Amino acid sequence: MRKRFLFILSCCLLALTARTAPAEDVLKWEEVVAKTLELQPELRSAGLDIEEAQFSEDIARSGLFPEISGTSTFNRAETGGKWANAYNHKIVTSWLLFDGLKTPYALKAARKRVDEQQFAYEVTASDVLLDIRAAYIDVMEAQRFVTLTEEIRDRKRQNLQMIELRYEGGREHRGALLTAKAELAEAQFNVREAGRGLVLARRRLFIAMGTEQMRNVFVEGEFELSEFHAQKPDLNSLLETIPFLNELAAAREAAMLDKHSAKGRIWPAVSAVSSLGKSGDEFWGDDRGVSFGLSLSIPLFEGGENAATIKRSHVAFLQAGATEQTGRQQVLLTLEDRWKGLQDAIETVEFRQEFLRASEERAKIASVQYENGLIGFDDWIIIENNLVTAQRNDLSARAGMLQAEAEWIHSLGGTIHEKIY
């Protein structure tokens, strides 16, 4: 009775544990994208860069508007033994009329800097998309690898049981028994290792999403391409649509406008100036003064600052042009490399699946042959291990194909704001 009671109690405890054990959440790709858009600090930082550039544009635009300032002074002075008060209130307006086009070019350059930061944001959004996609694929692969290692462990356990029976019956030697035990121990280690790898992959995914809070999630997805990549596009025609190159082009144009703005430093500056004021010995004095005129400022000598500024802006323009040219060449090479990598990965999956089918069939045949004594342990275990290798290679190839597709889309400038996968 006592043993029966303990057995029933154990079953109840196991059932209760199964009910209260935390289940893994299912995380879809759309949820990953939504959370990343909400939490990713790199995207927020890139967005703030755009705002900063817009404020810089506002600062540059302010030079086109009049400046109005007001002053109020009070003096008390002694003259001939008598003290007298003096009040002076004035409003001064200054409006820049001409400065060698320095301010208009500076405003145009500031506008180009806004465009540059907007393209830089797209580059960041593309980088973020690659990060979360790669991390998502890693979790998919890690999940499948855990299942695969468990299947391999179960197969190794069955093999050991069969070999133990053959050893006890005198039909197998001790070396085969010890080898089977060692392979089971390795398979059990692989299961634990795969579990730890899954935890790491999940951590990498949540970090890529922009959060330090991690959950035990199960991600959805198949090892299939998002579209059919068979026809190679015209790579040169793609260059004009890639955000990174558009960013470099905007930087070059802004540098050119900065150069034109710097040349305006050597021109005279003409401003319209007016003032309106009141003065007297009372706070609101009766003496009123109104003036209008023009102000001309001519740079005669400033220690060579203007000349150096012009030369520096010219060098910066040449540097931006060289950077853009180098960028176009590097992007073209990257596109070629990523396309090659994608096609290689697709074809690798095809022949890896052929190897897997062959290994599965060969393992079935070898198992029957071994049980019937037609082949020895050494030949049989090699075929069994070849099956394990083929299974792992197939999984790795399919995950690698998705990674190659993600890198190809990244090279095209695909961003997280687009529904790509």
Side-chain angles (χ1 to χ4, degrees):
M1 285 292 295
R2 183 179 180 183
K3 291 183 178 179
R4 184 178 180 183
F5 172 76
L6 291 175
F7 175 75
I8 296 174
L9 180 62
S10 299
C11 292
C12 292
L13 290 175
L14 287 174
L16 181 62
T17 302
R19 289 180 181 179
T20 59
E24 292 181 342
D25 297 332
V26 176
L27 186 63
K28 297 181 180 180
W29 170 249
E30 293 77 10
E31 297 176 50
V32 172
V33 172
K35 281 295 182 182
T36 302
L37 290 173
E38 176 186 351
L39 303 173
Q40 236 298 327
E42 290 185 37
L43 287 176
R44 290 203 307 271
S45 177
L48 293 174
D49 288 340
I50 296 177
E51 291 188 30
E52 182 181 359
Q54 290 171 338
F55 286 130
S56 296
E57 180 187 357
D58 294 339
I59 294 172
R61 185 183 294 106
S62 66
L64 300 177
F65 294 94
E67 294 183 6
I68 302 175
S69 62
T71 60
S72 180
T73 61
F74 166 73
N75 290 314
R76 182 175 175 80
E78 182 202 2
T79 304
K82 294 182 179 181
W83 290 90
N85 297 333
Y87 294 91
N88 192 352
H89 311 289
K90 185 182 292 186
I91 296 177
V92 179
T93 302
S94 176
W95 195 341
L96 179 66
L97 300 178
F98 177 77
D99 63 350
L101 301 180
K102 172 174 166 258
T103 300
Y105 275 121
L107 176 57
K108 291 180 180 179
R111 289 171 179 166
K112 276 298 173 184
R113 297 294 181 195
V114 174
D115 294 340
E116 179 185 355
Q117 291 304 321
Q118 288 174 338
F119 287 126
Y121 178 87
E122 293 184 19
V123 172
T124 301
S126 181
D127 293 340
V128 169
L129 175 63
L130 176 61
D131 290 342
I132 61 171
R133 185 60 182 174
Y136 194 86
I137 295 169
D138 283 345
V139 177
M140 287 175 55
E141 182 180 11
Q143 289 174 174
R144 180 65 188 96
F145 190 62
V146 168
T147 303
L148 177 60
T149 54
E150 290 174 346
E151 293 172 355
I152 294 172
R153 177 202 58 196
D154 295 341
R155 188 180 182 91
K156 296 291 185 180
R157 182 180 290 118
Q158 294 173 359
N159 291 344
L160 175 60
Q161 293 172 352
M162 179 179 63
I163 293 173
E164 284 177 336
L165 292 176
R166 292 173 65 88
Y167 176 75
E168 292 172 358
R171 292 183 296 163
E172 195 56 85
H173 55 79
R174 180 173 173 77
L177 177 63
L178 296 177
T179 300
K181 288 182 177 179
E183 292 207 342
L184 176 59
E186 181 184 22
Q188 291 170 336
F189 162 75
N190 289 336
V191 171
R192 297 190 297 270
E193 182 185 34
R196 293 188 288 267
L198 177 57
V199 173
L200 177 60
R202 286 170 175 163
R203 174 69 69 183
R204 185 179 295 112
L205 174 60
F206 279 93
I207 291 296
M209 292 167 57
T211 177
E212 299 174 6
Q213 303 296 325
M214 187 184 74
R215 308 193 314 271
N216 291 332
V217 295
F218 181 88
V219 302
E220 290 186 342
E222 300 294 334
F223 291 94
E224 298 176 356
L225 297 175
S226 61
E227 60 180 284
F228 188 61
H229 303 278
Q231 186 66 33
K232 182 179 180 180
D234 181 5
L235 301 184
N236 287 286
S237 65
L238 297 175
L239 297 181
E240 307 306 321
T241 62
I242 294 177
F244 174 64
L245 295 183
N246 291 333
E247 178 190 358
L248 294 182
R252 174 184 51 78
E253 293 175 11
M256 180 184 64
L257 294 168
D258 284 337
K259 182 180 71 169
H260 292 319
S261 177
K263 290 180 179 179
R265 297 171 66 95
I266 63 176
W267 285 82
V270 181
S271 301
V273 181
S274 65
S275 66
L276 173 64
K278 296 182 69 175
S279 63
D281 55 1
E282 298 292 336
F283 183 78
W284 293 110
D286 295 330
D287 296 335
R288 296 182 179 180
V290 178
S291 66
F292 300 93
L294 294 175
S295 173
L296 177 64
S297 176
I298 302 175
L300 298 178
F301 180 74
E302 75 304 319
E305 178 183 354
N306 289 342
T309 301
I310 294 173
K311 292 178 182 179
R312 182 184 64 180
S313 63
H314 180 67
V315 171
F317 169 65
L318 295 178
Q319 184 182 34
T323 301
E324 182 186 11
Q325 183 180 7
T326 302
R328 289 178 67 88
Q329 294 171 354
Q330 189 60 49
V331 167
L332 189 60
L333 180 60
T334 300
L335 287 171
E336 195 73 60
D337 179 62
R338 295 282 176 83
W339 177 259
K340 172 186 176 299
L342 176 58
Q343 298 307 308
D344 290 347
I346 293 173
E347 294 186 18
T348 299
V349 169
E350 293 174 357
F351 77 75
R352 288 298 182 193
Q353 290 179 340
E354 291 292 334
F355 269 114
L356 178 59
R357 283 191 287 268
S359 298
E360 289 173 341
E361 186 65 24
R362 187 71 185 93
K364 292 178 183 178
I365 296 172
S367 295
V368 175
Q369 290 176 327
Y370 180 67
E371 291 177 3
N372 295 325
L374 299 178
I375 60 173
F377 172 81
D378 293 337
D379 294 332
W380 173 69
I381 204 64
I382 290 174
I383 296 173
E384 284 287 307
N385 289 335
N386 286 342
L387 173 60
V388 171
T389 301
Q391 291 172 326
R392 291 185 174 185
N393 288 342
D394 174 68
L395 175 59
S396 178
R398 286 186 289 156
M401 179 180 65
L402 295 189
Q403 294 283 5
E405 182 190 42
E407 291 177 358
W408 166 248
I409 292 175
H410 174 259
S411 66
L412 296 176
T415 71
I416 192 174
H417 300 284
E418 306 170 34
K419 293 183 178 180
I420 297 177
Y421 302 104

